[in-house]
Amino acid sequence: MIQYVVKRILSLVPVLGVVAVVVFALVHLSPGDPASVILGPDASADDIRQLRDELGLNRPVPQQFASWLGNALTGDLGTSIYSGTPVTSVFLDYFRPTLSLAIFAQIIGILVAVPMGVFAALYRGKWMDGALMSFALVGISVPSFLMGLLLILFFAVFLNWLPVAGYAPLSEGLGTHLEYLLLPAISLGFIQAALITRITRAAMLEVMNNAYVKTARAKGLSRATVVIKHTLRNAFIPILEIIGQTFTTLIAGAVVVEFVFNIPGLGQLIVNSVERRDFPVIQGTVLLVAFGYVLINLFIDLIYGVVDPRVRLDQ
């Protein structure tokens, strides 16, 4: 077990290394000068050159990368050019709304998708199966920003049940916090529900054809017992895997939804940082998101190895 974990952690190092190189290269190859953005259009060439020297932007790019990577390995991702705040602090301030939105959206997706996938499998080939799979197809096809706009138009504008946009931190109360997150969470969770529904249906159908399920039916067990105890329980391994994988995609999907609902999350941070050419914030944010992504996938692999007896973690 320990040997497997160490091997998986070591395998993450080259992945993060590639991410660091790519994001640094893209940021520094993109047009725009942070010094010009900070000083404004009326700044003289001498002022811009002096600020570039202070920010270290006139050094050779390989030297800038080596300095940034060396600091990143010690946990120092630099300081925001725009605000002068450490990148880690800026990231944590904007990460909380994104994390709340992603968790809420995933809960909605699971609560909707798993029952839908189970019923679609139980009524395979019937009208309910077709209706639920059509719903899943629509969920995969409709972009999250379009779903968000439609929800705003119906629930916020026409019915006036929920706020149009904005964000309320958890300190203002759980009810207010969830009220502002409900529409964006549904926008994100709708897509996740569609994918989880399809995987749940496929996993259920595969397990339903096994001999032990047929034996349970032959023993006269109730349908609910057969479905929950013998079928869904054994089909939950691939469902758990897809739930973990889709959670990592919620962070990327939240960028657009946060912009639509004016939520001060990582999406807003990245957009603002790109507009300001705030290189340290862009690099640090992408690197931290990539680090979180690989950690979640590592956690999924460990859980998969624990719950599935066919997987040996000591190999």
mmCIF file of all heavy atoms in Angstrom, residues 209-256:
data_model
loop_
_atom_site.group_PDB
_atom_site.id
_atom_site.type_symbol
_atom_site.label_atom_id
_atom_site.label_comp_id
_atom_site.label_asym_id
_atom_site.label_seq_id
_atom_site.Cartn_x
_atom_site.Cartn_y
_atom_site.Cartn_z
ATOM 1 N N ASN A 209 -26.887 -8.596 -15.165
ATOM 2 C CA ASN A 209 -26.778 -9.847 -15.924
ATOM 3 C C ASN A 209 -25.958 -10.914 -15.203
ATOM 4 O O ASN A 209 -25.808 -12.024 -15.713
ATOM 5 C CB ASN A 209 -26.141 -9.562 -17.295
ATOM 6 C CG ASN A 209 -27.043 -8.735 -18.189
ATOM 7 O OD1 ASN A 209 -28.263 -8.883 -18.152
ATOM 8 N ND2 ASN A 209 -26.451 -7.849 -18.986
ATOM 9 N N ASN A 210 -25.405 -10.586 -14.031
ATOM 10 C CA ASN A 210 -24.592 -11.560 -13.304
ATOM 11 C C ASN A 210 -25.465 -12.611 -12.613
ATOM 12 O O ASN A 210 -26.639 -12.363 -12.308
ATOM 13 C CB ASN A 210 -23.716 -10.852 -12.254
ATOM 14 C CG ASN A 210 -22.611 -10.030 -12.900
ATOM 15 O OD1 ASN A 210 -22.159 -10.337 -14.000
ATOM 16 N ND2 ASN A 210 -22.167 -8.989 -12.219
ATOM 17 N N ALA A 211 -24.849 -13.742 -12.330
ATOM 18 C CA ALA A 211 -25.597 -14.879 -11.792
ATOM 19 C C ALA A 211 -26.113 -14.608 -10.383
ATOM 20 O O ALA A 211 -27.210 -15.052 -10.028
ATOM 21 C CB ALA A 211 -24.701 -16.122 -11.800
ATOM 22 N N TYR A 212 -25.340 -13.881 -9.560
ATOM 23 C CA TYR A 212 -25.777 -13.695 -8.177
ATOM 24 C C TYR A 212 -27.018 -12.809 -8.092
ATOM 25 O O TYR A 212 -27.814 -12.934 -7.157
ATOM 26 C CB TYR A 212 -24.647 -13.127 -7.315
ATOM 27 C CG TYR A 212 -24.066 -11.819 -7.782
ATOM 28 C CD1 TYR A 212 -24.669 -10.610 -7.442
ATOM 29 C CD2 TYR A 212 -22.894 -11.789 -8.523
ATOM 30 C CE1 TYR A 212 -24.128 -9.415 -7.848
ATOM 31 C CE2 TYR A 212 -22.346 -10.594 -8.935
ATOM 32 C CZ TYR A 212 -22.970 -9.409 -8.598
ATOM 33 O OH TYR A 212 -22.424 -8.217 -9.013
ATOM 34 N N VAL A 213 -27.209 -11.931 -9.065
ATOM 35 C CA VAL A 213 -28.420 -11.110 -9.086
ATOM 36 C C VAL A 213 -29.620 -11.981 -9.456
ATOM 37 O O VAL A 213 -30.696 -11.879 -8.847
ATOM 38 C CB VAL A 213 -28.265 -9.937 -10.065
ATOM 39 C CG1 VAL A 213 -29.566 -9.141 -10.165
ATOM 40 C CG2 VAL A 213 -27.128 -9.022 -9.627
ATOM 41 N N LYS A 214 -29.441 -12.850 -10.435
ATOM 42 C CA LYS A 214 -30.520 -13.756 -10.819
ATOM 43 C C LYS A 214 -30.853 -14.718 -9.674
ATOM 44 O O LYS A 214 -32.024 -15.063 -9.455
ATOM 45 C CB LYS A 214 -30.128 -14.531 -12.076
ATOM 46 C CG LYS A 214 -29.888 -13.640 -13.301
ATOM 47 C CD LYS A 214 -29.438 -14.459 -14.502
ATOM 48 C CE LYS A 214 -29.174 -13.553 -15.703
ATOM 49 N NZ LYS A 214 -28.704 -14.328 -16.877
ATOM 50 N N THR A 215 -29.833 -15.139 -8.940
ATOM 51 C CA THR A 215 -30.070 -16.017 -7.795
ATOM 52 C C THR A 215 -30.866 -15.307 -6.709
ATOM 53 O O THR A 215 -31.770 -15.894 -6.088
ATOM 54 C CB THR A 215 -28.732 -16.509 -7.225
ATOM 55 O OG1 THR A 215 -27.997 -17.192 -8.253
ATOM 56 C CG2 THR A 215 -28.945 -17.451 -6.047
ATOM 57 N N ALA A 216 -30.526 -14.034 -6.469
ATOM 58 C CA ALA A 216 -31.259 -13.255 -5.461
ATOM 59 C C ALA A 216 -32.725 -13.118 -5.841
ATOM 60 O O ALA A 216 -33.608 -13.201 -4.982
ATOM 61 C CB ALA A 216 -30.608 -11.882 -5.302
ATOM 62 N N ARG A 217 -32.994 -12.948 -7.128
ATOM 63 C CA ARG A 217 -34.385 -12.867 -7.578
ATOM 64 C C ARG A 217 -35.082 -14.211 -7.390
ATOM 65 O O ARG A 217 -36.254 -14.271 -6.962
ATOM 66 C CB ARG A 217 -34.433 -12.457 -9.046
ATOM 67 C CG ARG A 217 -33.996 -11.024 -9.322
ATOM 68 C CD ARG A 217 -33.923 -10.804 -10.814
ATOM 69 N NE ARG A 217 -33.461 -9.459 -11.136
ATOM 70 C CZ ARG A 217 -33.077 -9.074 -12.347
ATOM 71 N NH1 ARG A 217 -33.100 -9.955 -13.356
ATOM 72 N NH2 ARG A 217 -32.682 -7.838 -12.553
ATOM 73 N N ALA A 218 -34.352 -15.288 -7.702
ATOM 74 C CA ALA A 218 -34.956 -16.619 -7.595
ATOM 75 C C ALA A 218 -35.278 -16.982 -6.147
ATOM 76 O O ALA A 218 -36.196 -17.774 -5.887
ATOM 77 C CB ALA A 218 -34.015 -17.658 -8.197
ATOM 78 N N LYS A 219 -34.551 -16.398 -5.205
ATOM 79 C CA LYS A 219 -34.817 -16.659 -3.784
ATOM 80 C C LYS A 219 -36.061 -15.945 -3.283
ATOM 81 O O LYS A 219 -36.479 -16.157 -2.146
ATOM 82 C CB LYS A 219 -33.612 -16.234 -2.946
ATOM 83 C CG LYS A 219 -32.391 -17.136 -3.098
ATOM 84 C CD LYS A 219 -31.260 -16.656 -2.200
ATOM 85 C CE LYS A 219 -30.060 -17.581 -2.287
ATOM 86 N NZ LYS A 219 -28.942 -17.115 -1.414
ATOM 87 N N GLY A 220 -36.626 -15.090 -4.127
ATOM 88 C CA GLY A 220 -37.833 -14.391 -3.736
ATOM 89 C C GLY A 220 -37.591 -13.094 -2.987
ATOM 90 O O GLY A 220 -38.516 -12.573 -2.343
ATOM 91 N N LEU A 221 -36.353 -12.568 -3.026
ATOM 92 C CA LEU A 221 -36.081 -11.291 -2.368
ATOM 93 C C LEU A 221 -36.855 -10.174 -3.055
ATOM 94 O O LEU A 221 -37.137 -10.228 -4.261
ATOM 95 C CB LEU A 221 -34.586 -10.987 -2.408
ATOM 96 C CG LEU A 221 -33.659 -11.969 -1.676
ATOM 97 C CD1 LEU A 221 -32.201 -11.565 -1.844
ATOM 98 C CD2 LEU A 221 -34.028 -12.047 -0.201
ATOM 99 N N SER A 222 -37.191 -9.158 -2.285
ATOM 100 C CA SER A 222 -37.937 -8.034 -2.844
ATOM 101 C C SER A 222 -37.096 -7.309 -3.895
ATOM 102 O O SER A 222 -35.858 -7.362 -3.885
ATOM 103 C CB SER A 222 -38.333 -7.056 -1.739
ATOM 104 O OG SER A 222 -37.180 -6.467 -1.161
ATOM 105 N N ARG A 223 -37.804 -6.623 -4.781
ATOM 106 C CA ARG A 223 -37.095 -5.931 -5.853
ATOM 107 C C ARG A 223 -36.177 -4.852 -5.306
ATOM 108 O O ARG A 223 -35.065 -4.651 -5.806
ATOM 109 C CB ARG A 223 -38.109 -5.304 -6.815
ATOM 110 C CG ARG A 223 -37.464 -4.758 -8.090
ATOM 111 C CD ARG A 223 -38.499 -4.238 -9.042
ATOM 112 N NE ARG A 223 -37.912 -3.924 -10.337
ATOM 113 C CZ ARG A 223 -38.591 -3.380 -11.354
ATOM 114 N NH1 ARG A 223 -39.879 -3.125 -11.206
ATOM 115 N NH2 ARG A 223 -37.984 -3.128 -12.501
ATOM 116 N N ALA A 224 -36.617 -4.153 -4.265
ATOM 117 C CA ALA A 224 -35.789 -3.104 -3.669
ATOM 118 C C ALA A 224 -34.510 -3.687 -3.087
ATOM 119 O O ALA A 224 -33.425 -3.106 -3.218
ATOM 120 C CB ALA A 224 -36.578 -2.357 -2.589
ATOM 121 N N THR A 225 -34.604 -4.839 -2.442
ATOM 122 C CA THR A 225 -33.414 -5.477 -1.867
ATOM 123 C C THR A 225 -32.444 -5.902 -2.949
ATOM 124 O O THR A 225 -31.226 -5.715 -2.828
ATOM 125 C CB THR A 225 -33.833 -6.697 -1.029
ATOM 126 O OG1 THR A 225 -34.733 -6.275 -0.001
ATOM 127 C CG2 THR A 225 -32.616 -7.359 -0.404
ATOM 128 N N VAL A 226 -32.972 -6.462 -4.024
ATOM 129 C CA VAL A 226 -32.113 -6.891 -5.125
ATOM 130 C C VAL A 226 -31.413 -5.697 -5.762
ATOM 131 O O VAL A 226 -30.204 -5.738 -6.050
ATOM 132 C CB VAL A 226 -32.936 -7.661 -6.178
ATOM 133 C CG1 VAL A 226 -32.082 -7.976 -7.401
ATOM 134 C CG2 VAL A 226 -33.511 -8.939 -5.577
ATOM 135 N N VAL A 227 -32.156 -4.625 -5.948
ATOM 136 C CA VAL A 227 -31.589 -3.454 -6.617
ATOM 137 C C VAL A 227 -30.548 -2.772 -5.745
ATOM 138 O O VAL A 227 -29.429 -2.468 -6.191
ATOM 139 C CB VAL A 227 -32.711 -2.464 -7.004
ATOM 140 C CG1 VAL A 227 -32.111 -1.140 -7.489
ATOM 141 C CG2 VAL A 227 -33.602 -3.073 -8.069
ATOM 142 N N ILE A 228 -30.894 -2.512 -4.489
ATOM 143 C CA ILE A 228 -30.015 -1.727 -3.624
ATOM 144 C C ILE A 228 -28.842 -2.550 -3.090
ATOM 145 O O ILE A 228 -27.681 -2.132 -3.172
ATOM 146 C CB ILE A 228 -30.825 -1.132 -2.448
ATOM 147 C CG1 ILE A 228 -31.884 -0.163 -2.993
ATOM 148 C CG2 ILE A 228 -29.898 -0.426 -1.463
ATOM 149 C CD1 ILE A 228 -32.805 0.384 -1.916
ATOM 150 N N LYS A 229 -29.132 -3.736 -2.560
ATOM 151 C CA LYS A 229 -28.108 -4.516 -1.882
ATOM 152 C C LYS A 229 -27.229 -5.304 -2.833
ATOM 153 O O LYS A 229 -26.007 -5.409 -2.618
ATOM 154 C CB LYS A 229 -28.773 -5.467 -0.882
ATOM 155 C CG LYS A 229 -27.779 -6.222 -0.016
ATOM 156 C CD LYS A 229 -28.494 -7.076 1.018
ATOM 157 C CE LYS A 229 -27.507 -7.820 1.897
ATOM 158 N NZ LYS A 229 -28.178 -8.657 2.908
ATOM 159 N N HIS A 230 -27.798 -5.857 -3.892
ATOM 160 C CA HIS A 230 -27.042 -6.749 -4.760
ATOM 161 C C HIS A 230 -26.606 -6.104 -6.076
ATOM 162 O O HIS A 230 -25.573 -6.496 -6.621
ATOM 163 C CB HIS A 230 -27.866 -8.012 -5.056
ATOM 164 C CG HIS A 230 -28.159 -8.832 -3.846
ATOM 165 N ND1 HIS A 230 -27.260 -9.717 -3.303
ATOM 166 C CD2 HIS A 230 -29.271 -8.890 -3.048
ATOM 167 C CE1 HIS A 230 -27.789 -10.298 -2.232
ATOM 168 N NE2 HIS A 230 -29.004 -9.811 -2.058
ATOM 169 N N THR A 231 -27.386 -5.159 -6.583
ATOM 170 C CA THR A 231 -27.062 -4.582 -7.891
ATOM 171 C C THR A 231 -26.329 -3.256 -7.760
ATOM 172 O O THR A 231 -25.193 -3.112 -8.217
ATOM 173 C CB THR A 231 -28.349 -4.390 -8.713
ATOM 174 O OG1 THR A 231 -29.097 -5.612 -8.730
ATOM 175 C CG2 THR A 231 -28.010 -4.006 -10.141
ATOM 176 N N LEU A 232 -26.978 -2.269 -7.147
ATOM 177 C CA LEU A 232 -26.368 -0.939 -7.047
ATOM 178 C C LEU A 232 -25.071 -0.974 -6.250
ATOM 179 O O LEU A 232 -24.105 -0.282 -6.584
ATOM 180 C CB LEU A 232 -27.356 0.036 -6.415
ATOM 181 C CG LEU A 232 -26.874 1.497 -6.273
ATOM 182 C CD1 LEU A 232 -26.524 2.070 -7.628
ATOM 183 C CD2 LEU A 232 -27.933 2.341 -5.590
ATOM 184 N N ARG A 233 -25.043 -1.775 -5.212
ATOM 185 C CA ARG A 233 -23.835 -1.850 -4.383
ATOM 186 C C ARG A 233 -22.640 -2.337 -5.184
ATOM 187 O O ARG A 233 -21.522 -1.819 -5.040
ATOM 188 C CB ARG A 233 -24.108 -2.793 -3.208
ATOM 189 C CG ARG A 233 -22.946 -2.929 -2.246
ATOM 190 C CD ARG A 233 -23.330 -3.858 -1.101
ATOM 191 N NE ARG A 233 -22.232 -4.036 -0.164
ATOM 192 C CZ ARG A 233 -22.278 -4.816 0.906
ATOM 193 N NH1 ARG A 233 -23.396 -5.484 1.166
ATOM 194 N NH2 ARG A 233 -21.244 -4.940 1.699
ATOM 195 N N ASN A 234 -22.828 -3.318 -6.034
ATOM 196 C CA ASN A 234 -21.724 -3.836 -6.843
ATOM 197 C C ASN A 234 -21.456 -2.993 -8.083
ATOM 198 O O ASN A 234 -20.367 -3.081 -8.664
ATOM 199 C CB ASN A 234 -22.029 -5.283 -7.260
ATOM 200 C CG ASN A 234 -22.006 -6.239 -6.086
ATOM 201 O OD1 ASN A 234 -20.952 -6.644 -5.620
ATOM 202 N ND2 ASN A 234 -23.177 -6.589 -5.583
ATOM 203 N N ALA A 235 -22.420 -2.192 -8.492
ATOM 204 C CA ALA A 235 -22.222 -1.317 -9.646
ATOM 205 C C ALA A 235 -21.628 0.030 -9.259
ATOM 206 O O ALA A 235 -21.336 0.848 -10.133
ATOM 207 C CB ALA A 235 -23.560 -1.088 -10.361
ATOM 208 N N PHE A 236 -21.443 0.257 -7.962
ATOM 209 C CA PHE A 236 -21.055 1.589 -7.505
ATOM 210 C C PHE A 236 -19.578 1.893 -7.737
ATOM 211 O O PHE A 236 -19.168 3.050 -7.644
ATOM 212 C CB PHE A 236 -21.368 1.750 -6.012
ATOM 213 C CG PHE A 236 -21.574 3.173 -5.612
ATOM 214 C CD1 PHE A 236 -22.712 3.852 -5.996
ATOM 215 C CD2 PHE A 236 -20.620 3.855 -4.872
ATOM 216 C CE1 PHE A 236 -22.902 5.178 -5.655
ATOM 217 C CE2 PHE A 236 -20.794 5.172 -4.512
ATOM 218 C CZ PHE A 236 -21.942 5.841 -4.909
ATOM 219 N N ILE A 237 -18.767 0.893 -8.038
ATOM 220 C CA ILE A 237 -17.340 1.142 -8.245
ATOM 221 C C ILE A 237 -17.101 2.057 -9.448
ATOM 222 O O ILE A 237 -16.439 3.092 -9.323
ATOM 223 C CB ILE A 237 -16.577 -0.188 -8.381
ATOM 224 C CG1 ILE A 237 -16.628 -0.946 -7.053
ATOM 225 C CG2 ILE A 237 -15.132 0.065 -8.790
ATOM 226 C CD1 ILE A 237 -16.007 -2.315 -7.107
ATOM 227 N N PRO A 238 -17.598 1.742 -10.654
ATOM 228 C CA PRO A 238 -17.414 2.690 -11.770
ATOM 229 C C PRO A 238 -18.156 4.004 -11.560
ATOM 230 O O PRO A 238 -17.716 5.045 -12.051
ATOM 231 C CB PRO A 238 -17.961 1.929 -12.978
ATOM 232 C CG PRO A 238 -18.860 0.886 -12.419
ATOM 233 C CD PRO A 238 -18.265 0.508 -11.106
ATOM 234 N N ILE A 239 -19.271 3.964 -10.818
ATOM 235 C CA ILE A 239 -20.001 5.203 -10.534
ATOM 236 C C ILE A 239 -19.154 6.114 -9.651
ATOM 237 O O ILE A 239 -19.059 7.325 -9.892
ATOM 238 C CB ILE A 239 -21.352 4.899 -9.855
ATOM 239 C CG1 ILE A 239 -22.228 4.055 -10.771
ATOM 240 C CG2 ILE A 239 -22.065 6.189 -9.473
ATOM 241 C CD1 ILE A 239 -23.510 3.569 -10.117
ATOM 242 N N LEU A 240 -18.516 5.542 -8.655
ATOM 243 C CA LEU A 240 -17.642 6.313 -7.773
ATOM 244 C C LEU A 240 -16.476 6.913 -8.542
ATOM 245 O O LEU A 240 -16.077 8.066 -8.314
ATOM 246 C CB LEU A 240 -17.128 5.408 -6.649
ATOM 247 C CG LEU A 240 -16.173 6.050 -5.638
ATOM 248 C CD1 LEU A 240 -16.893 7.144 -4.866
ATOM 249 C CD2 LEU A 240 -15.613 5.003 -4.689
ATOM 250 N N GLU A 241 -15.942 6.155 -9.470
ATOM 251 C CA GLU A 241 -14.819 6.650 -10.261
ATOM 252 C C GLU A 241 -15.233 7.838 -11.118
ATOM 253 O O GLU A 241 -14.519 8.850 -11.179
ATOM 254 C CB GLU A 241 -14.271 5.522 -11.153
ATOM 255 C CG GLU A 241 -13.036 5.916 -11.932
ATOM 256 C CD GLU A 241 -12.488 4.764 -12.757
ATOM 257 O OE1 GLU A 241 -13.168 3.724 -12.827
ATOM 258 O OE2 GLU A 241 -11.399 4.908 -13.319
ATOM 259 N N ILE A 242 -16.380 7.756 -11.770
ATOM 260 C CA ILE A 242 -16.807 8.865 -12.629
ATOM 261 C C ILE A 242 -17.200 10.081 -11.798
ATOM 262 O O ILE A 242 -17.036 11.227 -12.233
ATOM 263 C CB ILE A 242 -17.966 8.420 -13.554
ATOM 264 C CG1 ILE A 242 -18.159 9.416 -14.709
ATOM 265 C CG2 ILE A 242 -19.266 8.289 -12.784
ATOM 266 C CD1 ILE A 242 -16.993 9.520 -15.637
ATOM 267 N N ILE A 243 -17.715 9.861 -10.581
ATOM 268 C CA ILE A 243 -18.039 10.989 -9.703
ATOM 269 C C ILE A 243 -16.770 11.766 -9.362
ATOM 270 O O ILE A 243 -16.746 12.998 -9.384
ATOM 271 C CB ILE A 243 -18.737 10.499 -8.423
ATOM 272 C CG1 ILE A 243 -20.174 10.052 -8.751
ATOM 273 C CG2 ILE A 243 -18.765 11.582 -7.356
ATOM 274 C CD1 ILE A 243 -20.899 9.416 -7.573
ATOM 275 N N GLY A 244 -15.706 11.036 -9.045
ATOM 276 C CA GLY A 244 -14.448 11.710 -8.741
ATOM 277 C C GLY A 244 -13.871 12.429 -9.942
ATOM 278 O O GLY A 244 -13.361 13.557 -9.823
ATOM 279 N N GLN A 245 -13.945 11.814 -11.108
ATOM 280 C CA GLN A 245 -13.412 12.446 -12.309
ATOM 281 C C GLN A 245 -14.206 13.686 -12.694
ATOM 282 O O GLN A 245 -13.632 14.705 -13.104
ATOM 283 C CB GLN A 245 -13.391 11.441 -13.455
ATOM 284 C CG GLN A 245 -12.398 10.315 -13.263
ATOM 285 C CD GLN A 245 -12.469 9.278 -14.368
ATOM 286 O OE1 GLN A 245 -13.330 9.352 -15.248
ATOM 287 N NE2 GLN A 245 -11.579 8.307 -14.326
ATOM 288 N N THR A 246 -15.528 13.632 -12.566
ATOM 289 C CA THR A 246 -16.339 14.788 -12.943
ATOM 290 C C THR A 246 -16.168 15.937 -11.961
ATOM 291 O O THR A 246 -16.328 17.097 -12.335
ATOM 292 C CB THR A 246 -17.829 14.406 -13.009
ATOM 293 O OG1 THR A 246 -18.229 13.810 -11.764
ATOM 294 C CG2 THR A 246 -18.100 13.440 -14.140
ATOM 295 N N PHE A 247 -15.824 15.619 -10.709
ATOM 296 C CA PHE A 247 -15.620 16.699 -9.746
ATOM 297 C C PHE A 247 -14.438 17.570 -10.148
ATOM 298 O O PHE A 247 -14.462 18.792 -9.958
ATOM 299 C CB PHE A 247 -15.395 16.125 -8.344
ATOM 300 C CG PHE A 247 -15.243 17.181 -7.286
ATOM 301 C CD1 PHE A 247 -16.344 17.878 -6.821
ATOM 302 C CD2 PHE A 247 -13.991 17.485 -6.761
ATOM 303 C CE1 PHE A 247 -16.205 18.871 -5.856
ATOM 304 C CE2 PHE A 247 -13.848 18.462 -5.797
ATOM 305 C CZ PHE A 247 -14.955 19.156 -5.344
ATOM 306 N N THR A 248 -13.400 16.969 -10.703
ATOM 307 C CA THR A 248 -12.250 17.764 -11.132
ATOM 308 C C THR A 248 -12.604 18.669 -12.306
ATOM 309 O O THR A 248 -12.063 19.762 -12.430
ATOM 310 C CB THR A 248 -11.086 16.844 -11.529
ATOM 311 O OG1 THR A 248 -11.507 15.953 -12.580
ATOM 312 C CG2 THR A 248 -10.621 16.018 -10.340
ATOM 313 N N THR A 249 -13.524 18.224 -13.160
ATOM 314 C CA THR A 249 -13.924 19.064 -14.293
ATOM 315 C C THR A 249 -14.818 20.221 -13.857
ATOM 316 O O THR A 249 -14.971 21.197 -14.605
ATOM 317 C CB THR A 249 -14.658 18.234 -15.351
ATOM 318 O OG1 THR A 249 -15.875 17.706 -14.789
ATOM 319 C CG2 THR A 249 -13.796 17.070 -15.821
ATOM 320 N N LEU A 250 -15.414 20.127 -12.685
ATOM 321 C CA LEU A 250 -16.262 21.215 -12.204
ATOM 322 C C LEU A 250 -15.466 22.494 -11.990
ATOM 323 O O LEU A 250 -15.994 23.599 -12.159
ATOM 324 C CB LEU A 250 -16.937 20.811 -10.889
ATOM 325 C CG LEU A 250 -18.099 19.822 -10.987
ATOM 326 C CD1 LEU A 250 -18.556 19.408 -9.606
ATOM 327 C CD2 LEU A 250 -19.257 20.429 -11.761
ATOM 328 N N ILE A 251 -14.207 22.365 -11.585
ATOM 329 C CA ILE A 251 -13.383 23.551 -11.359
ATOM 330 C C ILE A 251 -13.206 24.322 -12.662
ATOM 331 O O ILE A 251 -13.328 25.553 -12.696
ATOM 332 C CB ILE A 251 -12.009 23.154 -10.790
ATOM 333 C CG1 ILE A 251 -12.184 22.332 -9.501
ATOM 334 C CG2 ILE A 251 -11.171 24.381 -10.532
ATOM 335 C CD1 ILE A 251 -12.869 23.081 -8.384
ATOM 336 N N ALA A 252 -12.945 23.592 -13.753
ATOM 337 C CA ALA A 252 -12.802 24.255 -15.051
ATOM 338 C C ALA A 252 -14.141 24.795 -15.549
ATOM 339 O O ALA A 252 -14.225 25.906 -16.078
ATOM 340 C CB ALA A 252 -12.208 23.297 -16.075
ATOM 341 N N GLY A 253 -15.209 24.015 -15.354
ATOM 342 C CA GLY A 253 -16.523 24.467 -15.788
ATOM 343 C C GLY A 253 -17.036 25.643 -14.995
ATOM 344 O O GLY A 253 -17.844 26.441 -15.493
ATOM 345 N N ALA A 254 -16.554 25.787 -13.771
ATOM 346 C CA ALA A 254 -17.017 26.885 -12.924
ATOM 347 C C ALA A 254 -16.544 28.234 -13.424
ATOM 348 O O ALA A 254 -17.127 29.264 -13.069
ATOM 349 C CB ALA A 254 -16.539 26.671 -11.490
ATOM 350 N N VAL A 255 -15.495 28.259 -14.248
ATOM 351 C CA VAL A 255 -14.960 29.544 -14.739
ATOM 352 C C VAL A 255 -16.027 30.319 -15.490
ATOM 353 O O VAL A 255 -16.252 31.511 -15.227
ATOM 354 C CB VAL A 255 -13.729 29.289 -15.643
ATOM 355 C CG1 VAL A 255 -13.273 30.588 -16.287
ATOM 356 C CG2 VAL A 255 -12.600 28.681 -14.831
ATOM 357 N N VAL A 256 -16.718 29.669 -16.407
ATOM 358 C CA VAL A 256 -17.734 30.338 -17.214
ATOM 359 C C VAL A 256 -18.967 30.650 -16.374
ATOM 360 O O VAL A 256 -19.529 31.749 -16.457
ATOM 361 C CB VAL A 256 -18.108 29.468 -18.432
ATOM 362 C CG1 VAL A 256 -19.202 30.138 -19.244
ATOM 363 C CG2 VAL A 256 -16.892 29.204 -19.293
#
